[in-house]
Amino acid sequence: MSIELGHSRSYIQSISSGRSLPSMTEFLAICDYLGVTPRDFFDDDISNPPLIREAVDKLKTLSDGDLLLILTMINRLQS
């Protein structure tokens, strides 16, 4: 990942170990590489941000009736 972002091999390791911090530009590049938004990056409650984002994007195109049906199914699956 470090090399693909244009840095030395140890770049990401130094960030993950806390020895250094990326600039905002680099942080955004890391998020883009991982396929997550900055908000997703810090949200510990989301286990698969790209999958959640795809589901939400598709939900936005549904009618109110279809959204209610999906919500009913989600509630049933959670019980």
mmCIF file of all heavy atoms in Angstrom, residues 29-64:
data_model
loop_
_atom_site.group_PDB
_atom_site.id
_atom_site.type_symbol
_atom_site.label_atom_id
_atom_site.label_comp_id
_atom_site.label_asym_id
_atom_site.label_seq_id
_atom_site.Cartn_x
_atom_site.Cartn_y
_atom_site.Cartn_z
ATOM 1 N N ALA A 29 -5.988 10.344 0.509
ATOM 2 C CA ALA A 29 -5.512 9.357 -0.472
ATOM 3 C C ALA A 29 -5.595 7.946 0.108
ATOM 4 O O ALA A 29 -5.963 7.001 -0.601
ATOM 5 C CB ALA A 29 -4.075 9.679 -0.888
ATOM 6 N N ILE A 30 -5.292 7.798 1.395
ATOM 7 C CA ILE A 30 -5.399 6.495 2.050
ATOM 8 C C ILE A 30 -6.858 6.042 2.076
ATOM 9 O O ILE A 30 -7.166 4.878 1.777
ATOM 10 C CB ILE A 30 -4.797 6.543 3.472
ATOM 11 C CG1 ILE A 30 -3.283 6.716 3.388
ATOM 12 C CG2 ILE A 30 -5.166 5.297 4.266
ATOM 13 C CD1 ILE A 30 -2.618 7.074 4.710
ATOM 14 N N CYS A 31 -7.762 6.948 2.420
ATOM 15 C CA CYS A 31 -9.193 6.608 2.430
ATOM 16 C C CYS A 31 -9.649 6.187 1.039
ATOM 17 O O CYS A 31 -10.373 5.196 0.895
ATOM 18 C CB CYS A 31 -10.026 7.796 2.918
ATOM 19 S SG CYS A 31 -9.886 8.119 4.685
ATOM 20 N N ASP A 32 -9.227 6.928 0.030
ATOM 21 C CA ASP A 32 -9.589 6.589 -1.349
ATOM 22 C C ASP A 32 -9.044 5.213 -1.719
ATOM 23 O O ASP A 32 -9.748 4.400 -2.318
ATOM 24 C CB ASP A 32 -9.044 7.667 -2.294
ATOM 25 C CG ASP A 32 -9.531 7.476 -3.710
ATOM 26 O OD1 ASP A 32 -10.746 7.324 -3.912
ATOM 27 O OD2 ASP A 32 -8.681 7.491 -4.627
ATOM 28 N N TYR A 33 -7.816 4.927 -1.344
ATOM 29 C CA TYR A 33 -7.209 3.628 -1.614
ATOM 30 C C TYR A 33 -8.005 2.498 -0.962
ATOM 31 O O TYR A 33 -8.210 1.442 -1.547
ATOM 32 C CB TYR A 33 -5.763 3.628 -1.095
ATOM 33 C CG TYR A 33 -5.052 2.318 -1.297
ATOM 34 C CD1 TYR A 33 -4.382 2.050 -2.485
ATOM 35 C CD2 TYR A 33 -5.057 1.340 -0.304
ATOM 36 C CE1 TYR A 33 -3.724 0.840 -2.673
ATOM 37 C CE2 TYR A 33 -4.406 0.130 -0.491
ATOM 38 C CZ TYR A 33 -3.742 -0.115 -1.673
ATOM 39 O OH TYR A 33 -3.111 -1.310 -1.866
ATOM 40 N N LEU A 34 -8.473 2.740 0.265
ATOM 41 C CA LEU A 34 -9.232 1.725 1.004
ATOM 42 C C LEU A 34 -10.698 1.659 0.581
ATOM 43 O O LEU A 34 -11.418 0.739 0.981
ATOM 44 C CB LEU A 34 -9.147 2.012 2.509
ATOM 45 C CG LEU A 34 -7.763 1.904 3.125
ATOM 46 C CD1 LEU A 34 -7.790 2.375 4.574
ATOM 47 C CD2 LEU A 34 -7.229 0.480 3.030
ATOM 48 N N GLY A 35 -11.150 2.635 -0.208
ATOM 49 C CA GLY A 35 -12.542 2.650 -0.651
ATOM 50 C C GLY A 35 -13.505 3.055 0.444
ATOM 51 O O GLY A 35 -14.644 2.584 0.472
ATOM 52 N N VAL A 36 -13.054 3.934 1.342
ATOM 53 C CA VAL A 36 -13.911 4.405 2.426
ATOM 54 C C VAL A 36 -13.889 5.927 2.469
ATOM 55 O O VAL A 36 -12.964 6.562 1.973
ATOM 56 C CB VAL A 36 -13.464 3.852 3.805
ATOM 57 C CG1 VAL A 36 -13.546 2.336 3.844
ATOM 58 C CG2 VAL A 36 -12.071 4.312 4.181
ATOM 59 N N THR A 37 -14.914 6.496 3.091
ATOM 60 C CA THR A 37 -14.919 7.935 3.322
ATOM 61 C C THR A 37 -14.174 8.204 4.628
ATOM 62 O O THR A 37 -14.015 7.294 5.446
ATOM 63 C CB THR A 37 -16.361 8.474 3.442
ATOM 64 O OG1 THR A 37 -16.952 7.928 4.633
ATOM 65 C CG2 THR A 37 -17.195 8.126 2.219
ATOM 66 N N PRO A 38 -13.738 9.440 4.838
ATOM 67 C CA PRO A 38 -13.111 9.747 6.127
ATOM 68 C C PRO A 38 -14.041 9.433 7.309
ATOM 69 O O PRO A 38 -13.589 8.937 8.341
ATOM 70 C CB PRO A 38 -12.810 11.242 6.036
ATOM 71 C CG PRO A 38 -12.594 11.467 4.569
ATOM 72 C CD PRO A 38 -13.609 10.551 3.906
ATOM 73 N N ARG A 39 -15.311 9.679 7.144
ATOM 74 C CA ARG A 39 -16.271 9.357 8.209
ATOM 75 C C ARG A 39 -16.298 7.848 8.473
ATOM 76 O O ARG A 39 -16.287 7.413 9.622
ATOM 77 C CB ARG A 39 -17.653 9.855 7.814
ATOM 78 C CG ARG A 39 -18.692 9.622 8.861
ATOM 79 C CD ARG A 39 -20.018 10.171 8.416
ATOM 80 N NE ARG A 39 -20.986 10.058 9.483
ATOM 81 C CZ ARG A 39 -22.180 10.572 9.452
ATOM 82 N NH1 ARG A 39 -22.576 11.264 8.407
ATOM 83 N NH2 ARG A 39 -22.994 10.423 10.458
ATOM 84 N N ASP A 40 -16.332 7.059 7.396
ATOM 85 C CA ASP A 40 -16.314 5.600 7.540
ATOM 86 C C ASP A 40 -15.033 5.135 8.234
ATOM 87 O O ASP A 40 -15.048 4.200 9.027
ATOM 88 C CB ASP A 40 -16.387 4.903 6.180
ATOM 89 C CG ASP A 40 -17.697 5.125 5.451
ATOM 90 O OD1 ASP A 40 -18.702 5.460 6.104
ATOM 91 O OD2 ASP A 40 -17.703 4.960 4.213
ATOM 92 N N PHE A 41 -13.930 5.770 7.922
ATOM 93 C CA PHE A 41 -12.632 5.384 8.462
ATOM 94 C C PHE A 41 -12.638 5.400 9.991
ATOM 95 O O PHE A 41 -12.045 4.540 10.633
ATOM 96 C CB PHE A 41 -11.548 6.332 7.924
ATOM 97 C CG PHE A 41 -10.157 5.960 8.328
ATOM 98 C CD1 PHE A 41 -9.425 5.057 7.587
ATOM 99 C CD2 PHE A 41 -9.576 6.522 9.455
ATOM 100 C CE1 PHE A 41 -8.125 4.714 7.954
ATOM 101 C CE2 PHE A 41 -8.281 6.185 9.837
ATOM 102 C CZ PHE A 41 -7.559 5.280 9.081
ATOM 103 N N PHE A 42 -13.316 6.390 10.567
ATOM 104 C CA PHE A 42 -13.324 6.540 12.022
ATOM 105 C C PHE A 42 -14.525 5.904 12.701
ATOM 106 O O PHE A 42 -14.620 5.932 13.923
ATOM 107 C CB PHE A 42 -13.247 8.020 12.396
ATOM 108 C CG PHE A 42 -11.924 8.638 12.068
ATOM 109 C CD1 PHE A 42 -11.796 9.508 11.000
ATOM 110 C CD2 PHE A 42 -10.802 8.336 12.811
ATOM 111 C CE1 PHE A 42 -10.568 10.077 10.691
ATOM 112 C CE2 PHE A 42 -9.569 8.890 12.510
ATOM 113 C CZ PHE A 42 -9.459 9.769 11.453
ATOM 114 N N ASP A 43 -15.447 5.333 11.943
ATOM 115 C CA ASP A 43 -16.656 4.737 12.516
ATOM 116 C C ASP A 43 -16.406 3.267 12.833
ATOM 117 O O ASP A 43 -16.398 2.420 11.947
ATOM 118 C CB ASP A 43 -17.827 4.887 11.553
ATOM 119 C CG ASP A 43 -19.162 4.541 12.179
ATOM 120 O OD1 ASP A 43 -19.183 3.883 13.247
ATOM 121 O OD2 ASP A 43 -20.196 4.931 11.616
ATOM 122 N N ASP A 44 -16.230 2.965 14.105
ATOM 123 C CA ASP A 44 -15.958 1.593 14.529
ATOM 124 C C ASP A 44 -17.169 0.673 14.413
ATOM 125 O O ASP A 44 -17.034 -0.542 14.492
ATOM 126 C CB ASP A 44 -15.470 1.562 15.983
ATOM 127 C CG ASP A 44 -14.115 2.208 16.152
ATOM 128 O OD1 ASP A 44 -13.363 2.272 15.160
ATOM 129 O OD2 ASP A 44 -13.809 2.646 17.273
ATOM 130 N N ASP A 45 -18.361 1.248 14.257
ATOM 131 C CA ASP A 45 -19.577 0.441 14.205
ATOM 132 C C ASP A 45 -19.847 -0.155 12.831
ATOM 133 O O ASP A 45 -20.712 -1.014 12.689
ATOM 134 C CB ASP A 45 -20.790 1.271 14.637
ATOM 135 C CG ASP A 45 -20.717 1.687 16.100
ATOM 136 O OD1 ASP A 45 -20.098 0.942 16.891
ATOM 137 O OD2 ASP A 45 -21.260 2.741 16.443
ATOM 138 N N ILE A 46 -19.138 0.294 11.807
ATOM 139 C CA ILE A 46 -19.355 -0.201 10.449
ATOM 140 C C ILE A 46 -18.286 -1.241 10.128
ATOM 141 O O ILE A 46 -17.100 -0.938 10.106
ATOM 142 C CB ILE A 46 -19.311 0.942 9.414
ATOM 143 C CG1 ILE A 46 -20.403 1.966 9.690
ATOM 144 C CG2 ILE A 46 -19.464 0.385 8.006
ATOM 145 C CD1 ILE A 46 -20.369 3.161 8.754
ATOM 146 N N SER A 47 -18.737 -2.474 9.861
ATOM 147 C CA SER A 47 -17.758 -3.534 9.598
ATOM 148 C C SER A 47 -17.348 -3.605 8.124
ATOM 149 O O SER A 47 -16.278 -4.097 7.810
ATOM 150 C CB SER A 47 -18.317 -4.887 10.033
ATOM 151 O OG SER A 47 -19.481 -5.194 9.303
ATOM 152 N N ASN A 48 -18.185 -3.132 7.209
ATOM 153 C CA ASN A 48 -17.872 -3.196 5.785
ATOM 154 C C ASN A 48 -18.374 -1.918 5.110
ATOM 155 O O ASN A 48 -19.408 -1.935 4.426
ATOM 156 C CB ASN A 48 -18.508 -4.438 5.164
ATOM 157 C CG ASN A 48 -17.988 -4.716 3.778
ATOM 158 O OD1 ASN A 48 -17.535 -3.817 3.084
ATOM 159 N ND2 ASN A 48 -18.065 -5.959 3.360
ATOM 160 N N PRO A 49 -17.657 -0.787 5.268
ATOM 161 C CA PRO A 49 -18.130 0.501 4.739
ATOM 162 C C PRO A 49 -18.496 0.508 3.258
ATOM 163 O O PRO A 49 -19.549 1.051 2.902
ATOM 164 C CB PRO A 49 -16.975 1.456 5.035
ATOM 165 C CG PRO A 49 -16.283 0.847 6.192
ATOM 166 C CD PRO A 49 -16.410 -0.648 5.993
ATOM 167 N N PRO A 50 -17.690 -0.094 2.351
ATOM 168 C CA PRO A 50 -18.085 -0.046 0.942
ATOM 169 C C PRO A 50 -19.419 -0.752 0.676
ATOM 170 O O PRO A 50 -20.233 -0.282 -0.118
ATOM 171 C CB PRO A 50 -16.937 -0.753 0.216
ATOM 172 C CG PRO A 50 -15.765 -0.577 1.115
ATOM 173 C CD PRO A 50 -16.335 -0.658 2.507
ATOM 174 N N LEU A 51 -19.668 -1.859 1.357
ATOM 175 C CA LEU A 51 -20.919 -2.585 1.177
ATOM 176 C C LEU A 51 -22.101 -1.780 1.719
ATOM 177 O O LEU A 51 -23.154 -1.695 1.072
ATOM 178 C CB LEU A 51 -20.832 -3.939 1.876
ATOM 179 C CG LEU A 51 -21.982 -4.915 1.638
ATOM 180 C CD1 LEU A 51 -22.145 -5.224 0.162
ATOM 181 C CD2 LEU A 51 -21.731 -6.193 2.420
ATOM 182 N N ILE A 52 -21.924 -1.165 2.877
ATOM 183 C CA ILE A 52 -22.973 -0.319 3.453
ATOM 184 C C ILE A 52 -23.265 0.852 2.525
ATOM 185 O O ILE A 52 -24.426 1.188 2.261
ATOM 186 C CB ILE A 52 -22.557 0.200 4.854
ATOM 187 C CG1 ILE A 52 -22.390 -0.948 5.838
ATOM 188 C CG2 ILE A 52 -23.539 1.244 5.370
ATOM 189 C CD1 ILE A 52 -23.672 -1.653 6.202
ATOM 190 N N ARG A 53 -22.218 1.486 2.002
ATOM 191 C CA ARG A 53 -22.405 2.636 1.102
ATOM 192 C C ARG A 53 -23.163 2.223 -0.162
ATOM 193 O O ARG A 53 -24.046 2.929 -0.629
ATOM 194 C CB ARG A 53 -21.056 3.254 0.739
ATOM 195 C CG ARG A 53 -21.212 4.591 0.047
ATOM 196 C CD ARG A 53 -19.920 5.348 -0.213
ATOM 197 N NE ARG A 53 -18.880 5.148 0.768
ATOM 198 C CZ ARG A 53 -17.809 4.360 0.590
ATOM 199 N NH1 ARG A 53 -17.648 3.696 -0.524
ATOM 200 N NH2 ARG A 53 -16.889 4.245 1.528
ATOM 201 N N GLU A 54 -22.825 1.064 -0.721
ATOM 202 C CA GLU A 54 -23.524 0.585 -1.922
ATOM 203 C C GLU A 54 -25.002 0.339 -1.620
ATOM 204 O O GLU A 54 -25.875 0.696 -2.413
ATOM 205 C CB GLU A 54 -22.877 -0.691 -2.442
ATOM 206 C CG GLU A 54 -23.531 -1.209 -3.708
ATOM 207 C CD GLU A 54 -22.897 -2.481 -4.233
ATOM 208 O OE1 GLU A 54 -21.857 -2.927 -3.703
ATOM 209 O OE2 GLU A 54 -23.451 -3.042 -5.197
ATOM 210 N N ALA A 55 -25.281 -0.267 -0.470
ATOM 211 C CA ALA A 55 -26.677 -0.518 -0.087
ATOM 212 C C ALA A 55 -27.436 0.787 0.075
ATOM 213 O O ALA A 55 -28.566 0.928 -0.419
ATOM 214 C CB ALA A 55 -26.735 -1.340 1.198
ATOM 215 N N VAL A 56 -26.836 1.762 0.741
ATOM 216 C CA VAL A 56 -27.498 3.054 0.947
ATOM 217 C C VAL A 56 -27.735 3.752 -0.386
ATOM 218 O O VAL A 56 -28.809 4.322 -0.623
ATOM 219 C CB VAL A 56 -26.683 3.945 1.909
ATOM 220 C CG1 VAL A 56 -27.194 5.375 1.919
ATOM 221 C CG2 VAL A 56 -26.711 3.363 3.317
ATOM 222 N N ASP A 57 -26.755 3.712 -1.279
ATOM 223 C CA ASP A 57 -26.925 4.331 -2.599
ATOM 224 C C ASP A 57 -28.109 3.720 -3.346
ATOM 225 O O ASP A 57 -28.885 4.427 -3.993
ATOM 226 C CB ASP A 57 -25.654 4.197 -3.438
ATOM 227 C CG ASP A 57 -24.531 5.094 -2.943
ATOM 228 O OD1 ASP A 57 -24.809 6.030 -2.162
ATOM 229 O OD2 ASP A 57 -23.371 4.852 -3.337
ATOM 230 N N LYS A 58 -28.253 2.411 -3.252
ATOM 231 C CA LYS A 58 -29.370 1.750 -3.943
ATOM 232 C C LYS A 58 -30.695 2.025 -3.244
ATOM 233 O O LYS A 58 -31.732 2.148 -3.896
ATOM 234 C CB LYS A 58 -29.104 0.261 -4.062
ATOM 235 C CG LYS A 58 -27.970 -0.002 -5.046
ATOM 236 C CD LYS A 58 -27.696 -1.454 -5.260
ATOM 237 C CE LYS A 58 -26.576 -1.559 -6.289
ATOM 238 N NZ LYS A 58 -26.277 -2.898 -6.676
ATOM 239 N N LEU A 59 -30.676 2.137 -1.909
ATOM 240 C CA LEU A 59 -31.904 2.466 -1.177
ATOM 241 C C LEU A 59 -32.439 3.829 -1.575
ATOM 242 O O LEU A 59 -33.654 4.042 -1.606
ATOM 243 C CB LEU A 59 -31.650 2.430 0.336
ATOM 244 C CG LEU A 59 -31.486 1.062 0.967
ATOM 245 C CD1 LEU A 59 -31.020 1.211 2.414
ATOM 246 C CD2 LEU A 59 -32.783 0.268 0.911
ATOM 247 N N LYS A 60 -31.559 4.751 -1.881
ATOM 248 C CA LYS A 60 -31.965 6.110 -2.258
ATOM 249 C C LYS A 60 -32.809 6.137 -3.520
ATOM 250 O O LYS A 60 -33.538 7.097 -3.763
ATOM 251 C CB LYS A 60 -30.733 7.001 -2.452
ATOM 252 C CG LYS A 60 -30.013 7.318 -1.165
ATOM 253 C CD LYS A 60 -28.758 8.129 -1.455
ATOM 254 C CE LYS A 60 -27.960 8.395 -0.201
ATOM 255 N NZ LYS A 60 -26.719 9.142 -0.489
ATOM 256 N N THR A 61 -32.726 5.099 -4.342
ATOM 257 C CA THR A 61 -33.461 5.085 -5.609
ATOM 258 C C THR A 61 -34.836 4.423 -5.494
ATOM 259 O O THR A 61 -35.606 4.433 -6.444
ATOM 260 C CB THR A 61 -32.655 4.329 -6.692
ATOM 261 O OG1 THR A 61 -32.555 2.957 -6.331
ATOM 262 C CG2 THR A 61 -31.267 4.934 -6.858
ATOM 263 N N LEU A 62 -35.146 3.850 -4.321
ATOM 264 C CA LEU A 62 -36.399 3.107 -4.153
ATOM 265 C C LEU A 62 -37.561 4.018 -3.793
ATOM 266 O O LEU A 62 -37.380 5.088 -3.217
ATOM 267 C CB LEU A 62 -36.234 2.040 -3.063
ATOM 268 C CG LEU A 62 -35.183 0.966 -3.320
ATOM 269 C CD1 LEU A 62 -35.100 0.028 -2.123
ATOM 270 C CD2 LEU A 62 -35.484 0.190 -4.587
ATOM 271 N N SER A 63 -38.763 3.549 -4.099
ATOM 272 C CA SER A 63 -39.975 4.276 -3.722
ATOM 273 C C SER A 63 -40.200 4.135 -2.220
ATOM 274 O O SER A 63 -39.607 3.267 -1.559
ATOM 275 C CB SER A 63 -41.178 3.698 -4.471
ATOM 276 O OG SER A 63 -41.450 2.378 -4.002
ATOM 277 N N ASP A 64 -41.090 4.956 -1.678
ATOM 278 C CA ASP A 64 -41.414 4.876 -0.251
ATOM 279 C C ASP A 64 -41.958 3.504 0.127
ATOM 280 O O ASP A 64 -41.606 2.954 1.171
ATOM 281 C CB ASP A 64 -42.431 5.957 0.135
ATOM 282 C CG ASP A 64 -41.827 7.344 0.153
ATOM 283 O OD1 ASP A 64 -40.582 7.471 0.078
ATOM 284 O OD2 ASP A 64 -42.602 8.322 0.252
#
